[in-house]
Structures are given as C-alpha cells and as structure tokens.
Amino acid sequence: MQLLASVKSATNPVLARPAATPQAGHSLLLTESARSLGGPPSLLAALTDREREIVLRHGRRKVLYRGKTLFNQGAKHDGIYLIETGRIRVFYTAPSGREITLAYWHPGNFVGGPEVFGSGVHQWSGVATSNSNIVQLPGKDLRALVVEVPSLAIGLIEGLTFKGKCYSALAQMLGTRSITERLAHLLLHLAQLYGVADADGVVIGAAFTHADLAHMVGATRQWVTISLKRMQEKGIVASRRSQIVILRPDLLQEMRGLGD
Amino acid sequence: MQLLASVKSATNPVLARPAATPQAGHSLLLTESARSLGGPPSLLAALTDREREIVLRHGRRKVLYRGKTLFNQGAKHDGIYLIETGRIRVFYTAPSGREITLAYWHPGNFVGGPEVFGSGVHQWSGVATSNSNIVQLPGKDLRALVVEVPSLAIGLIEGLTFKGKCYSALAQMLGTRSITERLAHLLLHLAQLYGVADADGVVIGAAFTHADLAHMVGATRQWVTISLKRMQEKGIVASRRSQIVILRPDLLQEMRGLGD
DNA sequence: TCTATCGCGGCAACTAATCGACCACCCGAA
DNA sequence: TTCGGGTGGTCGATTAGTTGCCGCGATAGA
C-alpha cells in the first residue's frame, strides 16, 4: 500500500503529495479490505488515447478548493464527475442531521449520481477534502458516448459494480457489526492506507478528527472519543496530539471480530 | 401499488399468485420509498425480441424451489442470474452469524455478483423465498454480448445503478436511523407493497416472521418482538395470528422520523 | 396420531450507545 | 495581542438494544 497525502496536506507540508499525477486511485471506505473487493477501476483506463480525447471533449472542467461542495444532496443532477486529482468525500445527511460518510473517492473514480445517464436527484452530497480537479460529463452525452465507445460502457459497468460492492459492503458492516467493531476495523484500514512505521507502532499519517471517524462508522463523536480512550487504556492505540498510533494491531484485529 | 403473492403462498392459497407472468418486478428493501429511487429497471425490457433471443440463447435455465439456495456467500461465481419468476432473498452473513437482508428481488431483475463479468467471490447469498425460474448468464458471454447488443449494456448499467441506489440507501438507513425508526419505516413500506385494506386498517398481506423483519432492519428477533409489542400497546399496530395490521400509519410516519 | 421443529412471546440482566452540555486547549486570523 | 472557532475530553442521565433462556402453541413430517 502506498502512502497518500494527508487530508490536511495544505497545513502539513511534510505530508504533502508531490505534484500529483492522476493515479488510478484508492477509495477509502469502512469496508472489508481492498483484497476482497479488488482495486477500484479507473473509468478511462481501458480507453485508447483517441477514445479518451473523444470522451473528454464532452466534459466540463472544474477546479474545486478544499472544503468546497461539488454537489448537494437533494439537488437535481446531470451525469457524473470524474476525479482527476484531489479527494472527494461523499456523504448522506439524514433529516435528523446525522451524517454517514459513504466513501472518500480518489482520482480515476467518478462520483455523483447515483444515476449516470438520467437526471434524477442527488441522494448524497460531495465535498472536496483537498483541492481537486474535476471533469463533469453530462448524462445525455454519456449515453450517446456509450454506444460510440464500448470501452466506456465497460468502464462504467466496472465502476458501478465497484460502487455497488462498496455500498453493499458498507451496509453489511453497518447491519451486522457493533460500532466498536466497526471502529477497530476502520483503524486497521486507515493504518493500511495511510500508515507510517514508527518506533512504537504504526502512525496514521492523515489527520482525521474524531468527528470524521464518527461519520465513517456511523456513530457520535463522543462515542468515538470514549472508545479511543478505552483502547488507549488497554494499550492498543496511543494518541499524540490528534495523531493516532496503532500499537497492537493484533488486538484490534481481535476486536473487529472474526472473518477476513 | 399492486398486491403480490405472499412469501408463504404455498401454505396460504388465498394469497397465491395466479399463474405468474414475468413482470418487471418490484424489489423489497428497507429504503426510501420507491418514489425517490424510481422503479427497478428490467434487464431485458429495452431489447427487441430478436436481441432478447440472442441473449437468452447464452443462458442456462434453472428451476428453484422455495427455500433452495441459488448461490452461496464465499463461493466463486460466474456472471449473473436473471429472475423470470419467483422471488430471491439476498443476504449477507457476518462471521458472528448475524445476517442482514440486502433485498428481496422480483422478476426482471438480476442477482448474483457483485460482479457481472469477472468471476470473483460471492459477497452474499441468495435463496428462493418462493418457487422461481432463473436464467444464468455466464460472465464471459455477457462481456461479449455487451459489445454485440448495446441495449444490453444500457440495461446492465441501469440495473447496476439501481442496485447501487438500493445498497447506498440501505447504508444510509443503517448508518443514520435507529432500529426503531427503521422498523417503522419498514412497516410502512410493507403496507405500501403488500397492504390490503381492512375494516380496522391495512393488513400486511404477506407473512413475514419476526426474524425476517429483524434481518431486514438489522436487529435481533427479540427486539422486533418487543418493538411490535410496544407499538401494539400504543395502538399503532395490531397482531392477528402472525399477521400485522397497521392501525395508525400517521403515528408510524411520525416514528420513522422526518423526511421523505 | 404422535413428535420434532419453528415461530411467537415474555423476562431479566446487562452493556453499548446516545444526548446534551460544559470546559480547556490550540491555532489561525484579525 | 486578543478573539473566536474547531477539536478533544469529560460527565451524568437515559434509552436502545443485546444476550440468553424458557415456555407455549401451531405446523409439518413421520
């Protein structure tokens, strides 16, 4: 697993990613390890340069600064957004105000939807968690392009398949695991994605607030704080000024329950 | 909304569906009402008779009796299963033994996966909850067919999109609503799908056990029993020999929280 | 017709998790 | 320098939900 830039790279130059080249990206989710899902496919990876150019000609480019909203839950949408650089957090807000983060998407993936062709209503919101470059592909163009460029259809199908896997895996976690188990799982996953070896253990090299974590596991901030504190008491993790260090991955593994 | 046969139609002739014709089906999920999702698309609906024949030629037919397993979580899979008649329950089993029902799928939809082309591992299981006719379409054939029959690609994309919506909606419910709210939601949804008007209220014309309901909302059977009992005390619902009658949909609506 | 099984219901003890509120701290902006 | 917002930490009260168990009645199968 490769080290990605911190969410807060802007404020933490040590972790800043060097002039990012679009890479078929990761996706950060509260789910089974990437192993069982396979890596996320890149929408345009299978296209020839020429086909890619045809497709991108229909796109509208956007630059999005950290914290800015790409699309809003409830708004009418049109087509999809392809991420070229940066990172997009996709989340749902319940009427009660509670939020659940569906995923953090990285370059090569597309977000928006849930539909790709039709123009329905966004079922969730997307905001940039780091400065991002986005290409919007309108639904109508996309539908025409699919017939013209079959590889694009394959790319879309694979992308949608992957999203289906992600969301169902999320539902599986949420439906069958306790919050504590989910948190243990998430920490291991974060260590895998952003982990940096250290004298004591593995430092999670990305600054997530307790609230961020809470949104990912579907809990309250307080509960995350309490759980982390308990883990700290047991010597499983250590907190150093808002950084989390995993000391005993074996115990975390145990906490998250059996399987995979 | 139209009345469908009971899960237990075999034991309850009154509710049995008359010689079912394949209908572009519903899908039963713990989610927002169908309104916001749009109906589920039928995979072959957009095809000409000829195209349909080309596609189905690659399929292998299966007859599945009630209770029989179509595919098993963890097993290698190949392609998708198209439902012609019957009903398939798709569910995930956690290592702890807890189950969550992802959906009940009706004719016109395809199940299996999560992948359509590749041959990965089933992330969930599928069993028939009523006698069903199934057509299996192998992954390799499917990939070739997509290029030959573009409408099939569109059908697949729309089907996958719908599944993505379903699963994300499920994750949204599970991540942001309490079990009680989810149960209230589910009851209203069931009333909409299977409801039969009655002197007192709406009878849910399909026999779901408490365990079935529990699997749908991601809770234990006991909790469902307790919750239903409390609702009964408040006069919101009534139980008549394992049938549920909705007396006060307005109160249920209130319980499930705001929104939609 | 008998018996095994399943679904329903209830109960008690327990813990996981929420809610709301408050405070201290740090850091960045003015 | 001060101010203010975001973050982490904590507390107490309350509730939601789990676990495990037992018993009854209906049903299906032998």
Side-chain angles (χ1 to χ4, degrees):
Chain A
M1 279 290 165
Q2 121 204 41
L3 173 63
L4 284 193
S6 154
V7 194
K8 302 227 167 138
S9 53
T11 65
N12 194 344
V14 181
L15 292 170
R17 179 158 60 200
T21 50
Q23 47 185 332
H26 300 265
S27 60
L28 170 53
L29 316 120
L30 168 72
T31 60
E32 304 305 310
S33 54
R35 205 176 335 142
S36 57
L37 295 185
S42 177
L43 179 59
L44 304 181
L47 304 203
T48 63
D49 286 349
R50 210 205 141 120
E51 289 172 329
R52 200 169 306 190
E53 201 220 322
I54 296 177
V55 172
L56 288 179
R57 203 183 303 146
H58 292 263
R60 209 176 319 148
R61 269 167 209 286
K62 276 191 185 186
V63 175
L64 214 67
Y65 292 107
R66 188 166 115 72
K68 294 297 173 204
T69 300
L70 180 55
F71 53 88
N72 249 316
Q73 183 177 331
K76 262 191 72 106
H77 80 266
D78 182 19
I80 58 176
Y81 301 95
L82 177 61
I83 308 176
E84 289 198 312
T85 66
R87 168 149 74 169
I88 305 292
R89 170 172 174 254
V90 170
F91 63 98
Y92 166 79
T93 310
S96 66
R98 273 188 86 148
E99 279 180 19
I100 176 95
T101 298
L102 296 172
Y104 287 85
W105 294 103
H106 290 129
N109 293 288
F110 58 93
V111 297
E115 285 166 50
V116 293
F117 301 144
S119 53
V121 167
H122 281 298
Q123 300 294 316
W124 46 70
S125 305
V127 305
T129 55
S130 62
N131 298 344
S132 305
N133 286 286
I134 306 293
V135 180
Q136 180 182 10
L137 295 168
K140 233 163 62 180
D141 299 40
L142 211 51
R143 190 170 185 125
L145 279 169
V146 161
V147 179
E148 196 182 339
V149 186
S151 305
L152 180 64
I154 306 265
L156 273 174
I157 291 177
E158 285 179 345
L160 288 170
T161 303
F162 184 74
K163 285 183 203 305
K165 277 195 234 181
C166 291
Y167 297 145
S168 66
L170 182 58
Q172 290 169 6
M173 290 293 291
L174 293 171
T176 60
R177 256 88 157 182
S178 72
I179 296 194
T180 314
E181 289 170 323
R182 267 138 55 191
L183 185 59
H185 189 101
L186 178 62
L187 288 178
L188 284 169
H189 191 54
L190 287 176
Q192 224 176 48
L193 271 184
Y194 301 98
V196 187
D198 183 273
D200 313 321
V202 178
V203 179
I204 293 178
F208 289 100
T209 67
H210 289 190
D212 287 338
L213 300 179
H215 287 152
M216 280 190 255
V217 297
T220 56
R221 182 193 60 80
Q222 293 93 320
W223 185 251
V224 170
T225 305
I226 293 174
S227 300
L228 284 177
K229 191 184 145 206
R230 285 188 194 158
M231 286 184 189
Q232 198 157 359
E233 280 163 7
K234 289 187 198 155
I236 300 176
V237 302
S239 297
R240 297 204 291 232
R241 354 165 198 116
S242 98
Q243 262 194 342
I244 299 173
V245 190
I246 313 279
L247 303 177
R248 299 286 305 273
D250 53 322
L251 290 180
L252 269 185
Q253 193 79 32
E254 200 175 294
M255 282 184 68
R256 98 170 154 183
L258 312 137
D260 194 279
Chain B
M1 280 288 164
Q2 119 203 44
L3 173 62
L4 285 191
S6 156
V7 195
K8 303 229 167 137
S9 53
T11 64
N12 194 343
V14 181
L15 291 170
R17 177 158 63 201
T21 51
Q23 46 186 332
H26 300 266
S27 61
L28 170 53
L29 316 121
L30 166 72
T31 61
E32 304 305 311
S33 54
R35 202 178 336 141
S36 57
L37 295 184
S42 177
L43 179 59
L44 304 181
L47 305 204
T48 63
D49 287 349
R50 210 204 140 126
E51 289 173 328
R52 202 169 305 191
E53 202 220 321
I54 295 177
V55 172
L56 288 179
R57 202 185 303 147
H58 291 262
R60 210 177 318 150
R61 269 168 208 288
K62 276 190 183 185
V63 176
L64 214 67
Y65 293 106
R66 187 167 113 73
K68 293 297 173 204
T69 300
L70 180 55
F71 52 88
N72 247 316
Q73 184 177 333
K76 262 192 74 106
H77 80 265
D78 183 20
I80 57 175
Y81 301 95
L82 177 62
I83 308 176
E84 289 197 312
T85 67
R87 167 149 73 168
I88 305 292
R89 169 173 173 254
V90 170
F91 63 97
Y92 166 79
T93 309
S96 66
R98 273 188 86 146
E99 279 180 20
I100 176 92
T101 297
L102 296 172
Y104 287 85
W105 294 103
H106 290 129
N109 294 287
F110 58 94
V111 297
E115 286 165 51
V116 294
F117 300 144
S119 52
V121 168
H122 283 297
Q123 301 293 317
W124 46 70
S125 304
V127 306
T129 55
S130 63
N131 298 344
S132 306
N133 286 287
I134 306 292
V135 181
Q136 180 184 10
L137 295 168
K140 232 163 63 179
D141 300 39
L142 210 52
R143 189 169 188 127
L145 280 169
V146 161
V147 179
E148 196 181 340
V149 185
S151 305
L152 181 64
I154 304 267
L156 273 174
I157 290 177
E158 285 179 346
L160 288 171
T161 302
F162 184 74
K163 286 182 202 308
K165 277 195 236 181
C166 293
Y167 298 144
S168 65
L170 181 58
Q172 289 168 8
M173 290 292 291
L174 294 171
T176 61
R177 258 86 157 181
S178 72
I179 296 193
T180 314
E181 289 170 324
R182 268 138 55 192
L183 186 58
H185 188 102
L186 178 63
L187 288 177
L188 284 170
H189 191 54
L190 287 177
Q192 224 176 47
L193 271 183
Y194 302 97
V196 188
D198 183 273
D200 313 321
V202 178
V203 179
I204 293 178
F208 288 100
T209 67
H210 288 193
D212 286 337
L213 300 179
H215 287 152
M216 279 189 256
V217 297
T220 56
R221 183 196 58 78
Q222 290 92 323
W223 185 251
V224 170
T225 306
I226 293 174
S227 300
L228 283 176
K229 191 185 146 205
R230 287 190 193 156
M231 286 184 188
Q232 198 157 359
E233 280 163 7
K234 290 187 198 155
I236 301 175
V237 302
S239 298
R240 297 203 291 233
R241 351 166 200 115
S242 96
Q243 261 194 344
I244 298 172
V245 190
I246 312 279
L247 304 176
R248 299 285 305 274
D250 53 324
L251 290 180
L252 268 186
Q253 193 79 32
E254 200 176 294
M255 282 185 67
R256 98 168 155 187
L258 312 137
D260 193 279

